[in-house]
Amino acid sequence: MELPYELELPESRRIALGLLVLQADEQIEEDFKLLLPAARVRLYQNRLKSPPDVTADSLPEMARSIPGSAALLPLDAGIRVVGYACTSGSAAIGEAKVAELIDRGCPGALATNPMTALKAALRSLGCKRVGMVNPYIEEVSGRLCEVLEEEEGVKVTALGSFNQMADHLVARIDPSSILEAALTIGRDPACDSVVISCTNLQAVTILGEATARLGKPVLASNQALAWHMLRLAGLEGPLPALGSLANACVQREAAMT
């Protein structure tokens, strides 16, 4: 017996987003469960090959995996935005190049990444003097500072790092250590905000406490990426789960600059 059926109207479906997750990442999927409004968003995820040790030489190698990973997202789902979930990788490969590689695999969708998202977030909040917490070695964390300073005109007033290369250890750094690191860096009166950079750090759950204790915005890669993806997709209104970025807006025309 052939059974009858009806198809959903396109406008009745939740907003579709795509996320490219590193093979080594153990955190961002958990964070996105907290950050995205499930009643309004459908999230499609795919993994891509990533190096176990994060160095200036290993990060650019991920570029080869981005188009194929994006192409394995369900292309008929109406995905509006695809996020590449690596802050350091975005800085090493280049944000414009990341967007180009995503477009090869998922043409028509807008593209973003944590580096682009953090820059847009700082711009929206009016922050110009940033203290940064990063888990990686100096050659990696230093490149993040260069991108913020040279491309966004943001001064990095202080940088603290856990000085790690192994991503599986980064994923296991205790949230209490991340909180203490954010407070240590953020107490510098020269900074007007703190950025915790890395999608594999357990940072999202400590943002509220860190922000309250410092009295200044404390941002994290996963928080900024979720916010940017939602805003690029056209989701408007307050987003309470996003903390300091709950009410921040972004100009779509300038989102990829």
Side-chain angles (χ1 to χ4, degrees):
M1 175 191 297
E2 183 173 339
L3 299 174
Y5 62 88
E6 295 181 0
L7 296 177
E8 289 181 319
L9 296 174
E11 59 268 23
S12 70
R13 305 199 90 201
R14 290 171 289 163
I15 292 171
L17 304 176
L19 186 65
L20 308 184
V21 182
L22 305 194
Q23 180 182 3
D25 198 313
E26 302 178 29
Q27 189 58 37
I28 192 167
E29 290 155 317
E30 289 300 306
D31 286 347
F32 268 43
K33 292 175 187 176
L34 302 175
L35 295 167
L36 299 184
R40 304 174 70 185
V41 172
R42 300 165 68 100
L43 181 66
Y44 300 94
Q45 299 159 169
N46 198 30
R47 294 268 170 172
L48 61 84
K49 188 173 180 59
S50 62
D53 290 335
V54 177
T55 68
D57 292 330
S58 68
L59 285 169
E61 296 174 4
M62 282 187 283
R64 290 177 290 182
S65 300
I66 293 174
S69 181
L72 290 176
L73 293 168
L75 301 185
D76 291 328
I79 293 174
R80 297 191 192 181
V81 181
V82 176
Y84 163 63
C86 184
T87 321
S88 300
S90 301
I93 296 167
E95 297 160 71
K97 184 64 175 180
V98 168
E100 175 193 327
L101 294 169
I102 288 173
D103 188 63
R104 288 186 200 172
C106 192
L110 294 174
T112 188
N113 60 78
M115 194 75 248
T116 298
L118 284 166
K119 288 160 66 175
L122 293 169
R123 200 180 308 137
S124 289
L125 295 172
C127 297
K128 286 290 188 179
R129 302 182 311 279
V130 174
M132 180 178 286
V133 175
N134 184 268
Y136 297 121
I137 57 178
E138 183 178 358
E139 64 181 28
V140 174
S141 55
R143 177 58 185 155
L144 297 170
C145 297
E146 289 174 4
V147 170
L148 285 177
E149 293 183 340
E150 296 173 6
E151 298 180 11
E152 191 61 23
V154 170
K155 175 66 176 175
V156 179
T157 61
L159 170 65
S161 175
F162 299 119
N163 203 33
Q164 265 300 328
M165 281 197 304
D167 237 353
H168 74 281
L169 295 180
V170 170
R172 287 159 179 74
I173 295 174
D174 191 84
S176 63
S177 299
I178 300 168
L179 173 61
E180 189 55 42
L183 295 176
T184 298
I185 294 298
R187 289 190 186 106
D188 183 349
C191 74
D192 59 14
S193 55
V194 177
V195 166
I196 305 173
S197 169
C198 181
T199 62
N200 209 13
L201 280 175
Q202 300 179 66
V204 163
T205 57
I206 62 94
L207 295 179
E209 182 176 352
T211 297
R213 290 174 64 176
L214 290 172
K216 59 186 72 172
V218 180
L219 307 178
S221 289
N222 292 348
Q223 170 209 30
L225 181 60
W227 164 78
H228 203 224
M229 291 174 68
L230 291 170
R231 293 310 193 203
L232 288 178
L235 199 66
E236 299 178 352
L239 299 164
L242 293 175
S244 297
L245 293 172
N247 299 303
C249 295
V250 61
Q251 293 294 322
R252 292 180 64 157
E253 297 83 359
M256 304 310 298
T257 61

